[in-house]
């Protein structure tokens, strides 16, 4: 009976928690602004969903002009479980378009390690449109994003039995980045992928 309860709970976690932008990583926190090669910044913050609390950090490096490479590392606390580490890696490329707003493409892969009986792996692909509002409110940039979050959840029943489930959902995000010093800024975001998540944090540039 105890084993059966654990299996059912694991299935619920896999079915309700397998969403990358909504639970297991920091917010997008980028308005798609052009960047210069070798810019570096670090960020820390939280993402909160109904059954998941993620606390972690991110390192970002401009590999070349307008191409960011980043990675997240943190702890995901899932309701009913002890939680565990979660990792994410991704890239963001700002398109060289002559338009009034910044346009970027962002892709990630992610994997939380929340329980030995549950394996969740996923990827996201988002388009982002951002706007610098510095002329109106000094230091403020806003952005919106839309894309796809695809994940695969596998539950190990023990004794050689297992079950897997694939899902793909449309994701939406809206957020803001506010620079309050030359190298310091804060961010906040509201996003949705089959569930609402709030994210916030701060970053330092070098």
């Amino acid at each position: 009976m105890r084993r059966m309860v654990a299996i059912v709970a694991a299935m619920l976690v896999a079915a309700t928690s397998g969403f990358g932008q909504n639970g297991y990583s920091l917010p997008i926190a980028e308005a798609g602004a052009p960047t210069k090669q070798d810019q570096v910044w670090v960020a820390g913050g939280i993402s909160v969903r109904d059954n998941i609390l993620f606390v972690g950090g991110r390192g970002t490096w401009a590999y070349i002009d307008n191409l960011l490479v980043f990675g997240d590392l943190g702890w995901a606390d899932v309701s009913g479980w002890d939680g565990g580490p979660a990792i994410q890696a991704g890239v963001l490329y700002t398109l060289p378009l002559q338009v009034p707003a910044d346009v970027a493409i962002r892709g990630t892969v992610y994997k939380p390690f929340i329980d030995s009986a549950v394996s969740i792996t996923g990827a996201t692909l988002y388009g982002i449109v951002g706007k610098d509002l510095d002329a109106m409110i000094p230091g403020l940039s806003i952005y919106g994003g839309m894309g796809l979050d695809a994940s695969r959840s596998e539950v190990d029943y023990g004794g050689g039995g297992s079950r897997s489930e694939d899902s793909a959902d449309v994701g939406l995000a809206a957020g803001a980045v506010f620079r309050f010093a030359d190298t310091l800024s804060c961010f906040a975001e509201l996003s949705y992928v089959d569930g609402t998540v709030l994210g916030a944090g701060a970053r330092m540039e070098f």
Side-chain angles (χ1 to χ4, degrees):
M1 175 62 72
R2 194 171 182 180
R3 177 65 177 172
M4 182 61 65
V5 170
I7 290 172
V8 171
M11 291 174 65
L12 289 174
V13 169
T16 63
S17 303
F19 308 108
Q21 292 305 127
N22 284 274
Y24 298 126
S25 65
L26 291 180
I28 293 172
E30 295 289 348
T35 53
K36 294 296 184 181
Q37 184 177 4
D38 290 333
Q39 285 183 265
V40 175
W41 53 89
V42 295
I46 63 172
S47 291
V48 181
R49 185 176 164 156
D50 55 354
N51 62 332
I52 305 171
L53 170 64
F54 174 86
V55 180
R58 172 180 295 162
T60 303
W61 172 45
Y63 178 65
I64 58 175
D65 289 358
N66 299 329
L67 179 62
L68 302 179
V69 179
F70 59 90
D72 290 12
L73 175 62
W75 187 269
D77 185 12
V78 182
S79 298
W81 297 87
D82 292 333
I87 58 175
Q88 176 180 252
V91 297
L92 184 148
Y93 178 64
T94 299
L95 301 175
L97 303 176
Q98 300 299 319
V99 295
D102 297 314
V103 181
I105 298 174
R106 182 183 193 265
T108 70
V109 293
Y110 62 88
K111 185 171 182 62
F113 300 88
I114 57 173
D115 188 84
S116 59
V118 182
S119 175
I120 300 173
T121 306
T124 69
L125 182 63
Y126 273 64
I128 299 170
V129 177
K131 181 67 175 178
D132 183 350
L133 300 181
D134 198 60
M136 299 172 56
I137 304 176
L140 180 64
S141 298
I142 60 173
Y143 64 88
M146 181 176 181
L148 183 68
D149 188 317
S151 64
R152 181 177 181 83
S153 304
E154 298 181 3
V155 179
D156 182 7
Y157 293 93
S162 64
R163 176 183 175 181
S164 64
E165 180 178 346
D166 297 321
S167 66
D169 298 276
V170 174
L172 301 171
V177 180
F178 180 68
R179 181 185 297 273
F180 56 88
D182 288 343
T183 60
L184 297 174
S185 59
C186 58
F187 54 85
E189 181 181 294
L190 173 66
S191 59
Y192 185 89
V193 180
D194 197 41
T196 302
V197 66
L198 294 172
R203 75 181 189 187
M204 174 180 288
E205 301 180 21
F206 296 93

